[in-house]
Amino acid sequence: MEENNKIEIAIKRIKEFEPEEGYYLAFSGGKDSQTVYELAKESGVKFDAHFNLTTVDPPELIYFIRDNYPDVIIEKPEISMWELIIKAKCMPTRIARFCCRYLKEEGGENRVILTGVRWAESARRRKRRMVESCYRTGVNKTFLRPIIDWTNEEVWEFINSRNLKYC
């Protein structure tokens, strides 16, 4: 990776789209969201980071976030994954993603959401753009994906260069 160049470009992207109220940073505790969190800090922009609890998250992940990212707001859902399954009368699948829609994709309404989504993750994500807006039933969300063009290796290089702990 032309490390400094990729980092500079990502920071420039974050600064360029900074909303007045700051970003809503979608934080999963994974390597990509850790990278975006660190880039947001390094860029000096305003942001508040949020982890959407699914109620089936590994305990180690919750402890990791609490210990290493104490400012991340842990959002608790009104109903659990198990209650959603009973309500839907089926298990979630890659096609029927009702649980993700409710448990992971809530929050950030009428905000610019900073995420760690990257093209290298899947064929579906390769169709995403760096900046996208979503409008549905009165909810406005704009997504900024500043590391969308980074490879797995580049993300790991960044994490290792900053000596970031990871779960």
Side-chain angles (χ1 to χ4, degrees):
M1 158 164 83
E2 297 170 1
E3 182 178 337
N4 290 334
N5 192 31
K6 282 273 188 166
I7 293 168
E8 288 170 18
I9 290 168
I11 288 174
K12 181 179 178 227
R13 290 169 177 168
I14 292 169
K15 287 180 177 181
E16 183 177 345
F17 293 97
E18 181 183 11
E20 188 175 314
E21 71 279 5
Y23 287 106
Y24 178 102
L25 193 147
F27 191 83
S28 69
K31 68 185 184 316
D32 301 324
S33 64
Q34 283 183 264
T35 297
V36 170
Y37 178 96
E38 188 66 28
L39 287 166
K41 277 179 44 181
E42 290 181 23
S43 72
V45 299
K46 289 190 298 185
F47 70 94
D48 44 285
H50 299 260
F51 173 79
N52 289 316
L53 192 69
T54 66
T55 68
V56 292
D57 304 287
E60 302 83 9
L61 177 62
I62 306 306
Y63 300 139
F64 172 78
I65 293 169
R66 286 184 180 155
D67 292 345
N68 296 283
Y69 297 90
D71 61 321
V72 170
I73 300 160
I74 297 178
E75 304 285 355
K76 296 178 180 151
E78 291 180 21
I79 62 175
S80 72
M81 167 75 95
W82 310 115
E83 292 168 313
L84 277 174
I85 291 169
I86 291 167
K87 187 176 176 182
K89 298 180 181 166
C90 69
M91 295 294 285
T93 67
R94 285 172 35 132
I95 296 167
R97 298 180 61 229
F98 59 87
C99 57
C100 290
R101 190 175 311 117
Y102 179 77
L103 297 170
K104 292 302 258 180
E105 296 167 4
E106 289 293 313
E109 291 86 6
N110 303 311
R111 303 272 311 268
V112 178
I113 302 169
L114 201 53
T115 76
V117 169
R118 294 179 303 105
W119 289 327
E121 294 177 286
S122 70
R124 187 174 185 187
R125 290 190 173 186
R126 268 191 288 283
K127 296 176 184 172
R128 302 268 174 94
R129 295 187 192 125
M130 184 184 66
V131 179
E132 287 184 304
S133 292
C134 173
Y135 304 97
R136 68 170 192 263
T137 58
V139 175
N140 173 17
K141 294 183 180 184
T142 299
F143 296 90
L144 174 61
R145 303 172 180 110
I147 63 168
I148 197 161
D149 52 350
W150 286 30
T151 65
N152 286 333
E153 293 78 18
E154 290 166 338
V155 171
W156 283 116
E157 281 180 36
F158 180 84
I159 286 172
N160 291 327
S161 73
R162 302 302 191 274
N163 293 316
L164 299 178
K165 294 180 185 175
Y166 50 88
C167 184

